[in-house]
Amino acid sequence: MPLCPHDKQLLDESASGFDCPACGRHFGSQPLCPECGEALKVLKACGAVDYFCKTHGMVSRSRAIVS
């Protein structure tokens, strides 16, 4: 999961987006590339979640941006 832009805690995925367990903020469901701001493709396999940018390749969950 991506990190909260406010307190850098891992976000929990919910049906309507992402929630920060530390500060209680809610974020949209689309993580963005930290380099270009484009929407990232979410890749899920065997319980792992990864992100892919068509311009910059793989993006770690700790670098993904949520808005």
Side-chain angles (χ1 to χ4, degrees):
M1 298 300 113
L3 295 178
C4 176
H6 301 282
D7 55 27
K8 307 301 182 214
Q9 298 296 312
L10 282 176
L11 297 174
D12 296 328
E13 190 170 9
S14 68
S16 61
F18 296 96
D19 297 311
C20 180
C23 68
R25 289 182 171 101
H26 177 78
F27 301 95
S29 60
Q30 184 60 58
L32 305 174
C33 176
E35 303 294 327
C36 63
E38 292 293 318
L40 294 172
K41 182 173 183 175
V42 179
L43 307 172
K44 294 183 181 182
C46 300
V49 177
D50 294 303
Y51 299 102
F52 183 79
C53 174
K54 62 183 176 184
T55 305
H56 296 100
M58 296 300 290
V59 175
S60 72
R61 67 182 184 171
S62 64
R63 293 188 60 233
I65 297 171
V66 292
S67 56

